[in-house]
Amino acid sequence: MCGRMPYIWTFSPDSKPLLEQCLNAAAMLPPDNNNKWLLRFGPKNLDLIKKTDDIDLTEDFPELDITDRPAENQENIQKLVEVLIDPDFDIVSKFHLIYEKCKEKPKLLTKLAENLPSDIIEKLTYHIFDTTNKSNQFLQYFYEYFVPVYIKKSNSRLCTELLLKANKLHTDCFKILLKVILKDTDIQNTIINDFICTLNVDQQTKLLTDINNIELSGEEFSHNVFNIYTAYKSCNKTENIQNTILSLLKTHSVHCSADKSYGKLLLAYLQQEKIFKTNSNYVEIEKIIEIHKSPFKRPCHSVLEEINNSL
């Protein structure tokens, strides 16, 4: 009986004698270029089978530690990376080893995200998404230490898929991930924007509420304001959402006084206020417009005048 693994074949002990007889007999036959098995899988020999048998999980997966010595850390991490990218190493079948080590030392996940190639990361992350028996603690570590680091280093379709899967499968952990990526101004806006554009209107509405619950500095908000505008312009407009946007506008009005994306968000908010009129007094909004310096100042002022005249 045999089971297929990437690049190698493994056989049960009971079948080894028969297998060896077949291979020895095959070696005595002349080459056959029409052999479909060889054309599909290539030659398999006893040396490869022995190599597979000799694999020891404990030897494959070195004892690693995260210490206060950067040089030693990098050497240890490099050992692990070399193991994980080896074609003879099946990262899925040995995931439990990574799982246990990363639960014990979560910052190891950061090192893996920094050093592993994208194809290995894709295989690893999809296995995590497809496996149900994972602890919440490990998932929190995964979204806090692994996913943001990979998103920062790679602008790829996998980044958007990671965000979508996290939002769908692990809602509570997604909030942890969202906070980390919004507060990291080195993460490219295009990745987050692509994710937002893929959400439906209800998901975009919920996302705005989640963002409002994250305390962002002026710099962090400025970095993400275009993403917030993207979600707001397509979401379900409600009084709660209007109040959410107003809260963000008031909090960051000074820091974003010359920001064009902030000006777009302010104008979009005012255009919706013509419909909702959630405020009975727009003095605060008038103050925000007065200190604003982007080209959106004048149209914002015009819309505010329309609102005041209609009260």
Side-chain angles (χ1 to χ4, degrees), residues 204-214 221 228 232 235-236 238-252 265 269 273 278-279:
Q204 290 172 337
T205 306
K206 183 179 182 303
L207 182 69
L208 286 172
T209 303
D210 291 339
I211 291 174
N212 193 44
N213 292 329
I214 299 171
F221 178 82
I228 294 171
Y232 176 65
C235 76
N236 287 321
T238 64
E239 288 192 13
N240 285 338
I241 288 298
Q242 287 298 97
N243 291 330
T244 293
I245 296 301
L246 177 59
S247 173
L248 293 170
L249 289 170
K250 289 193 297 186
T251 301
H252 301 287
L265 181 63
Y269 165 81
E273 274 300 292
T278 54
N279 289 282

Side-chain angles (χ1 to χ4, degrees), residues 57-288:
L57 294 184
T58 57
E59 291 179 1
D60 265 2
F61 210 91
E63 287 297 326
L64 301 175
D65 197 2
I66 300 297
T67 70
D68 295 328
R69 299 178 291 280
E72 182 178 330
N73 278 345
Q74 190 55 40
E75 182 180 351
N76 287 339
I77 293 299
Q78 191 57 39
K79 291 178 184 177
L80 177 57
V81 171
E82 288 173 2
V83 169
L84 296 182
I85 64 176
D86 189 326
D88 289 339
F89 185 91
D90 182 11
I91 196 170
V92 171
S93 68
K94 298 175 186 177
F95 170 72
H96 64 284
L97 294 169
I98 302 173
Y99 177 81
E100 293 300 330
K101 284 186 177 290
C102 290
K103 278 204 306 181
E104 180 184 348
K105 302 182 186 302
K107 289 187 179 179
L108 181 58
L109 284 163
T110 297
K111 298 298 182 181
L112 292 179
E114 289 173 344
N115 290 276
L116 286 178
S118 291
D119 60 328
I120 301 296
I121 285 180
E122 183 169 4
K123 187 182 294 186
L124 178 62
T125 53
Y126 279 133
H127 180 68
I128 291 173
F129 290 137
D130 292 339
T131 307
T132 56
N133 58 339
K134 299 175 297 296
S135 70
N136 286 333
Q137 183 186 52
F138 174 80
L139 288 174
Q140 289 176 16
Y141 290 155
F142 174 68
Y143 286 118
E144 184 174 358
Y145 294 106
F146 186 91
V147 177
V149 175
Y150 177 70
I151 289 175
K152 185 189 299 189
K153 83 167 188 177
S154 175
N155 183 11
S156 67
R157 62 164 182 82
L158 180 58
C159 296
T160 304
E161 290 182 21
L162 286 175
L163 293 172
L164 289 169
K165 286 277 191 180
N167 189 42
K168 179 181 179 181
L169 299 176
H170 307 128
T171 306
D172 291 338
C173 290
F174 175 75
K175 293 178 181 179
I176 297 173
L177 173 60
L178 181 65
K179 180 178 180 179
V180 174
I181 62 177
L182 290 184
K183 294 182 77 66
D184 190 336
T185 56
D186 290 329
I187 290 179
Q188 297 182 51
N189 261 320
T190 53
I191 296 171
I192 304 172
N193 208 258
D194 287 346
F195 161 69
I196 292 172
C197 290
T198 311
L199 299 176
N200 61 41
V201 292
D202 291 332
Q203 291 170 328
Q204 290 172 337
T205 306
K206 183 179 182 303
L207 182 69
L208 286 172
T209 303
D210 291 339
I211 291 174
N212 193 44
N213 292 329
I214 299 171
E215 187 174 341
L216 298 174
S217 69
E219 181 184 4
E220 292 161 356
F221 178 82
S222 179
H223 181 70
N224 290 286
V225 65
F226 182 74
N227 296 324
I228 294 171
Y229 166 73
T230 299
Y232 176 65
K233 69 179 181 180
S234 301
C235 76
N236 287 321
K237 308 298 190 299
T238 64
E239 288 192 13
N240 285 338
I241 288 298
Q242 287 298 97
N243 291 330
T244 293
I245 296 301
L246 177 59
S247 173
L248 293 170
L249 289 170
K250 289 193 297 186
T251 301
H252 301 287
S253 59
V254 175
H255 186 88
C256 297
S257 60
D259 191 303
K260 290 183 180 179
S261 294
Y262 178 95
K264 282 185 177 181
L265 181 63
L266 177 58
L267 180 59
Y269 165 81
L270 288 169
Q271 288 169 335
Q272 288 300 314
E273 274 300 292
K274 290 168 63 176
I275 302 170
F276 283 95
K277 295 184 175 63
T278 54
N279 289 282
S280 58
N281 190 319
Y282 289 92
V283 173
E284 287 182 304
I285 294 295
E286 190 169 351
K287 290 179 180 178
I288 291 174

